[in-house]
Amino acid sequence: MILAEFAAQFNSKSTIILLEGKRNVLESDKEKLIHLGNLLASQLPLAIFRSGNADGADFYFSQGVLQVDPKRLQVITPYVNHRQKLNQAYETISLDQIDLVNEPKVVYQSKNNKKTKSLIDKYVGGAKDRFSIKAAYIIRDTVKVTGTISGIPATTFAFFYDDPSYPKTGGTGHTMDICDKNSVPYLTQENWVNWI
C-alpha cells in the first residue's frame, strides 16, 4: 500500500491512528518519526492520532502531529500526571478515569502479557504499590488498541517503531500482540520508511 491509497482509505472522523514504539530511538531515526507523524496528520486531516505519552518513539511521532494540528492528538496514560510536563496532547485519558472492573476485555487481554499477568488482578483490585503499577503500563497499552466499553474507541490502524534486533518485545511488543489479536493492521518502520 502506498501513502495515497492509505489516506484515501483511512481519512475519516472515525479513524484512530496509533503511533508508538520503543523508547530507544536511533539518532538518525528521530527526524523520520517526526516526519511520519507530520505526514500522516497532513494527509489524514480528519483522523485522530493516539499515543501512550512515553519517551522515545511516542514523543517523536507526536511532535510531528503537533506541528500540524494539536487538537487531533490524544494520549492514554497509565496514571494522572504521567509525564505531564511533556504532554502537549489536546485530550488526555488516564487509566484512573476508567473503571477497569467493568472492562473485562481489557483485563483479559492485558493478562496475555506473561510478565505482568499476576499483577493485573492486583492493580484492577485497587493495589497501587511500586510493583502493581507495572501492570498499569500494560493495561494502558491494551486500552490504546482495544478502546473501552465506556466510550474510548478502538484503534483503526497503528504505526510502530520497533527494535529489529529484538522485535515485538516489551510494551511495544505487547501492543503489537494486542493489535494481532484484535485484527488491527499495522506497519513498522521496515515498511513505513518508504513513505517519507
Side-chain angles (χ1 to χ4, degrees):
M1 181 183 301
I2 61 170
L3 178 59
E5 293 170 338
F6 179 82
Q9 183 176 348
F10 290 101
N11 185 33
S12 163
K13 288 183 179 179
S14 63
T15 294
I16 307 287
I17 304 287
L18 177 61
L19 300 171
E20 78 147 77
K22 295 295 187 182
R23 284 180 172 77
N24 293 328
V25 177
L26 296 174
E27 192 64 39
S28 59
D29 288 345
K30 291 176 181 178
E31 279 301 319
K32 293 174 187 172
L33 275 68
I34 294 169
H35 187 73
L36 182 69
N38 183 300
L39 185 65
L40 291 171
S42 299
Q43 296 294 313
L44 289 89
L46 300 177
I48 296 295
F49 296 87
R50 179 176 287 166
S51 169
N53 197 42
D55 193 16
D58 290 27
F59 174 79
Y60 294 109
F61 278 137
S62 294
Q63 292 307 299
V65 174
L66 289 167
Q67 290 172 355
V68 177
D69 187 356
K71 290 185 178 178
R72 291 191 290 126
L73 181 63
Q74 173 194 81
V75 299
I76 298 179
T77 62
Y79 51 84
V80 171
N81 299 330
H82 173 261
R83 291 174 39 89
Q84 185 175 9
K85 289 182 180 178
L86 298 173
N87 184 355
Q88 299 176 336
Y90 183 74
E91 180 183 23
T92 299
I93 301 165
S94 161
L95 282 192
D96 297 324
Q97 298 170 263
I98 302 168
D99 182 3
L100 293 171
V101 172
N102 291 315
E103 298 290 344
K105 179 180 178 181
V106 168
V107 173
Y108 175 78
Q109 291 198 26
S110 295
K111 288 181 180 181
N112 284 321
N113 186 290
K114 307 271 188 273
K115 289 184 179 179
T116 57
K117 184 176 182 179
S118 64
L119 298 175
I120 301 290
D121 286 332
K122 290 178 185 176
Y123 180 82
V124 172
K128 300 286 193 273
D129 58 46
R130 64 187 178 106
F131 298 108
S132 62
I133 200 69
K134 292 177 183 177
Y137 287 87
I138 292 300
I139 296 169
R140 180 268 317 262
D141 290 343
T142 303
V143 168
K144 285 187 299 190
V145 177
T146 64
T148 63
I149 295 169
S150 59
I152 299 171
T155 287
T156 311
F157 200 100
F159 290 84
F160 290 102
Y161 178 80
D162 200 11
D163 182 345
S165 299
Y166 303 97
K168 295 184 85 170
T169 57
T172 301
H174 171 77
T175 310
M176 295 169 87
D177 185 51
I178 296 298
C179 283
D180 290 335
K181 285 179 170 45
N182 291 277
S183 300
V184 174
Y186 61 84
L187 296 174
T188 65
Q189 70 268 27
E190 183 180 338
N191 301 111
W192 60 251
V193 74
N194 298 318
W195 290 6
I196 57 174

